[in-house]
Structures are given as C-alpha cells and as structure tokens.
Amino acid sequence: MNLRKLLRLYDQGHRDFAGADLCGADLRGIILMGVNLKGANLRGANLTKSFLIKSDLSGAQMNWANLSFAKLSEAKLLETDLTKANLSGCFMVKSLLPGAKLSGADLIGANLRGANLWGANLCAAQLERVNLRDANLMGVNFKWANLSEARLIGAKLYGSSLNFTNLSRAWLKGLDLGGFNLEGVNLRKAKLTGATLEGANLAAANLTEAQLDRVNLQGADLTGAKLMRASLEDANLTWATLKKAELTGANLRGTKLYGVDLRDIQVSDAIESELSDRFLYSAAV
C-alpha cells in the first residue's frame, strides 16, 4: 500500500493499516489518529510533527525514523523497534512502550509523563531534559544513557539498570533507589532530597554538589565517592561505607553517622573539627 492510497482510505474512514509498508516515506505533519499500524514498516520514515495520538504501532519497524515533535500521547508501541530513532521533543504522555527497543535513540526534551516503558531498552539513549515523571520504568535498561536534567519524580524504577548513566542535575526527589547498583554513576548536582538509597552501591559515584538532604543512605557503599560541596543535612548514613570518600565543603549538619569509620575520608578543616567527637566515636564502634 502506497502513501497516497493510505491517505485516501483514511479520509474514507478506514483505520486498519496493519503491516503497511511505508519505509522511508515522507509523513511530515501527517494526521493518522487512532489508526492500526501494528507491524508496519516505517524504517527511516519522516514523521516530524505528525499526529499519531492513540494509534497502535506495536511491533512496527521504526528504526532510524524521524519522530521529532510528533504527537504520540496514549499511543501503543509495544515491542516497537525505535533503535536510533529521533524522538526529540516528542509528546508521548501516557504512551505504552513495554519492551520497546530504543537503544541509541534521541529523546532529548521528550515528554513521557505517565508512560509505561516496562522492560524497554534505552541503552545509550539521549534523554537530556526528558520528562519521565510518574512513568513505569521497571526493568528498563538505562546503561550508558544520558539522563542529565531528566525529571524522574514519582517514577517506578524497580529492576532497572542505571550502570554508567549520566544523571547530572536530574530530578530524583523522593525516589526509592534502595539496593541499586549506582557504581560510578554521575549524579553531579542531582536533586535527591528525601530519596531512599539504603544499601545502594555508590562506589566511585560523582555526587558533587548533589542535594542529599534527608536521604536514607543506611548501609550504602560510598567508597571513593565524590561528595564535595554536597548537602547531606539530616541525611542518614548509619553504617555507610565512606572509605576514601571526598566530603570537602559538604554540609553535614544533622547527618546521622552512627557506625561510620571517618578515618579515611577527605574533609575540610572546618568539617573535621565539627566531627571530631563523632570521628572518635565512630572509629571505636
């Protein structure tokens, strides 16, 4: 089926175009709302500023497609192949993307608020400034992804992989990241106020200038972590490992440090003086 025939049928009220071959088609600004394009071939198609609201694109081949600024709210993209696709500025609020292939995709500035990405592959994806508030991100592969300035407040992240991700300046307030492997993750200037990181692996993580007020870091591994100028006011670091961590200029007002050995960390003279009593106590525990 060619594009001209598809548009003629759409104007006549047809909505079922499952398996259509539109490989490389120019669909800029097209309006195909509520259509069935399951299993369609849209490889390399240009769908810039298109309207596909509530459409079903499950299982479609959309790798290398251009969907920048497209409207895909409440669309179905179950196991859709969007590898290396351009989804920058795309509006995908409450869309369904379980099992979608998005490795290497460009989602800069996309709005995926309340979307379901359960088990999706976002390895090495560009997600700067993406809105993932209240999204289902369980089991998502975020390895090597760039999530700088991303908004993840209220998101469900159980079972997701965040190894080697860039979460600098990301909004992670109140998230449950207990037990997560965040070794070497870039969390510079990230907003983590009130988050749970109990038992998390943050070895060698970059938390410089991060907002960690009231964060639960009980039993967390912060070996070699960079916490320079981080705010840890009223945070709970009970039994956390801080070996070779750098806390120069950090705010530790009200921080709970019971059971923490502070002998092998780097702090400013002012902080060392402030913690002298706790240092002696902790070292003896």
Side-chain angles (χ1 to χ4, degrees):
M1 181 186 301
N2 60 34
L3 178 58
R4 183 174 297 178
K5 182 178 179 180
L6 185 150
L7 292 175
R8 184 174 70 252
L9 290 171
Y10 181 82
D11 288 340
Q12 293 172 359
H14 294 270
R15 294 295 181 266
D16 189 358
F17 305 109
D21 188 356
L22 297 166
C23 180
D26 187 351
L27 301 163
R28 284 175 292 180
I30 198 167
I31 298 174
L32 291 171
M33 295 169 63
V35 299
N36 178 9
L37 283 164
K38 292 176 69 172
N41 181 2
L42 287 155
R43 290 188 184 95
N46 189 347
L47 289 145
T48 303
K49 296 183 179 180
S50 59
F51 286 77
L52 292 159
I53 296 167
K54 295 184 178 180
S55 293
D56 192 344
L57 292 146
S58 299
Q61 300 300 310
M62 301 181 76
N63 39 317
W64 298 100
N66 187 348
L67 289 144
S68 57
F69 300 101
K71 308 297 182 185
L72 283 155
S73 55
E74 299 183 58
K76 296 178 181 177
L77 295 113
L78 287 72
E79 299 187 1
T80 301
D81 189 350
L82 288 154
T83 304
K84 299 285 187 179
N86 182 357
L87 293 147
S88 58
C90 195
F91 191 82
M92 303 177 78
V93 172
K94 296 183 179 179
S95 289
L96 302 176
L97 295 111
K101 302 177 182 69
L102 288 150
S103 58
D106 181 350
L107 288 130
I108 297 173
N111 190 344
L112 286 139
R113 183 166 186 164
N116 184 349
L117 289 113
W118 183 84
N121 184 5
L122 283 152
C123 179
Q126 298 299 313
L127 294 151
E128 297 100 310
R129 302 187 306 281
V130 69
N131 186 352
L132 288 164
R133 291 178 66 109
D134 303 315
N136 181 353
L137 305 173
M138 294 191 293
V140 171
N141 179 8
F142 282 114
K143 289 182 179 177
W144 304 106
N146 188 348
L147 284 148
S148 60
E149 298 186 67
R151 293 177 179 268
L152 291 126
I153 296 172
K156 299 177 181 67
L157 285 154
Y158 180 78
S160 63
S161 176
L162 292 162
N163 305 65
F164 311 108
T165 55
N166 180 1
L167 285 157
S168 60
R169 300 177 185 269
W171 296 73
L172 306 164
K173 293 181 179 180
L175 287 187
D176 186 352
L177 295 166
F180 269 61
N181 181 10
L182 298 166
E183 183 177 5
V185 169
N186 183 2
L187 287 155
R188 183 183 179 91
K189 294 188 177 182
K191 300 167 182 65
L192 286 145
T193 304
T196 297
L197 287 156
E198 184 174 359
N201 179 8
L202 287 153
N206 185 354
L207 289 149
T208 303
E209 298 183 56
Q211 294 178 16
L212 295 158
D213 300 330
R214 302 188 305 282
V215 169
N216 180 2
L217 284 155
Q218 290 187 75
D221 185 355
L222 289 152
T223 302
K226 296 179 180 179
L227 290 147
M228 295 86 76
R229 299 179 300 284
S231 183
L232 288 147
E233 190 166 338
D234 296 321
N236 188 350
L237 276 80
T238 302
W239 297 111
T241 302
L242 286 162
K243 186 177 181 180
K244 295 184 179 180
E246 188 170 349
L247 289 118
T248 305
N251 175 11
L252 297 170
R253 187 178 297 110
T255 305
K256 297 178 180 68
L257 292 161
Y258 180 84
V260 177
D261 190 340
L262 301 171
R263 289 174 294 186
D264 194 20
I265 65 172
Q266 299 180 50
V267 295
S268 62
D269 292 339
I271 293 175
E272 185 172 2
S273 176
E274 179 187 338
L275 298 176
S276 58
D277 291 339
R278 278 188 279 177
F279 174 86
L280 292 170
Y281 175 76
S282 301
V285 173

